[in-house]
Amino acid sequence: MLRRNPGFCFTAILTLALGIGMNTAIFIVFEAVVLAPLPYTQPHRLVLVWLYNHALKSPTYLSYPDFVDWRRNSRSFQRMAAFKPQSQDLTSPGTPEHLEGKRVSWGFFRTLDVKPALGREFTAKEDVHGGAPAVIISNRLWRNRFGGSRTAQGKPLTFDGADYTIIGVLPAHFHCPSDADFYIPLGEGGPLEIGDRATHNIARRS
């Protein structure tokens, strides 16, 4: 029958292949996002908290001043930290490169129980407007730009004309919640960026 109807046979096989492929892809995503445990210590104690916009009937990020108030007044969480995606151009050292990074509040890595493989994480004094320009880099960037040398700690990186000092390097396995090559203090942003309660662009990790 298959020899007599090659067109039908080809269509049936193609349909089955597409269906199996789509279901496999969906399961892989579902397993990674829902079923697989988070790659942190005691992942069951981590929650991601959002604001809820009743007008739009959807979750939304919160403003930085709201996060600061919630962190100060919270009695339900042991620690609270926030993060915000940040893209910048690394211009020195080496060849210029566009990198994806994050702005994070002090205590961010401690909240996730992640210790830098080299150096330290941010302090509260660095996580303020006008604080010392510090940066923590990924293991990938450390190896690509500094050959994995421990002397990288204390060296400068230049992002879009602004100089930052490397204070730490993250472990090779660290991802949160997606890959990033650099982390800089969230609170060092300008007053218009972090001082407006109407600016809802901060994700919060608790």
Side-chain angles (χ1 to χ4, degrees), residues 126-202:
E126 290 166 333
D127 188 27
V128 294
H129 181 59
V135 61
I136 296 173
I137 62 176
S138 70
N139 207 274
R140 185 199 76 86
L141 189 64
W142 176 49
R143 295 187 181 282
N144 286 355
R145 296 284 174 149
F146 300 98
S149 172
R150 300 185 66 86
T151 61
Q153 185 178 359
K155 289 189 175 180
L157 286 182
T158 302
F159 290 107
D160 297 323
D163 292 330
Y164 291 81
T165 300
I166 298 173
I167 64 167
V169 177
L170 293 171
H173 65 270
F174 179 75
H175 303 279
C176 179
S178 56
D179 289 335
D181 275 315
F182 67 91
Y183 296 80
I184 55 180
L186 179 59
E188 74 162 16
L192 295 179
E193 178 185 9
I194 64 173
D196 188 355
R197 291 185 185 273
T199 304
H200 296 278
N201 59 3
I202 307 299

Side-chain angles (χ1 to χ4, degrees), residues 42-63:
Q42 298 182 313
H44 61 283
R45 299 185 62 189
L46 292 173
V47 296
L48 187 63
V49 184
W50 309 76
L51 288 175
Y52 186 80
N53 189 314
H54 290 278
L56 299 177
K57 297 183 179 180
S58 65
T60 183
Y61 296 126
L62 72 157
S63 69

Side-chain angles (χ1 to χ4, degrees), residues 60-76:
T60 183
Y61 296 126
L62 72 157
S63 69
Y64 184 74
D66 286 341
F67 161 70
V68 173
D69 289 345
W70 290 6
R71 180 174 59 184
R72 180 177 60 249
N73 299 322
S74 174
R75 299 295 181 269
S76 301

Side-chain angles (χ1 to χ4, degrees), residues 32-111:
V33 175
V34 179
L35 301 180
L38 295 172
Y40 311 115
T41 304
Q42 298 182 313
H44 61 283
R45 299 185 62 189
L46 292 173
V47 296
L48 187 63
V49 184
W50 309 76
L51 288 175
Y52 186 80
N53 189 314
H54 290 278
L56 299 177
K57 297 183 179 180
S58 65
T60 183
Y61 296 126
L62 72 157
S63 69
Y64 184 74
D66 286 341
F67 161 70
V68 173
D69 289 345
W70 290 6
R71 180 174 59 184
R72 180 177 60 249
N73 299 322
S74 174
R75 299 295 181 269
S76 301
F77 302 106
Q78 183 177 356
R79 298 187 186 93
M80 299 178 68
F83 66 90
K84 173 187 175 183
Q86 178 81 22
S87 298
Q88 292 192 183
D89 293 322
L90 175 65
T91 54
S92 178
T95 304
E97 180 182 5
H98 183 76
L99 298 178
E100 298 297 328
K102 287 183 175 63
R103 288 184 178 271
V104 300
S105 60
W106 64 270
F108 176 79
F109 300 104
R110 184 184 177 196
T111 300

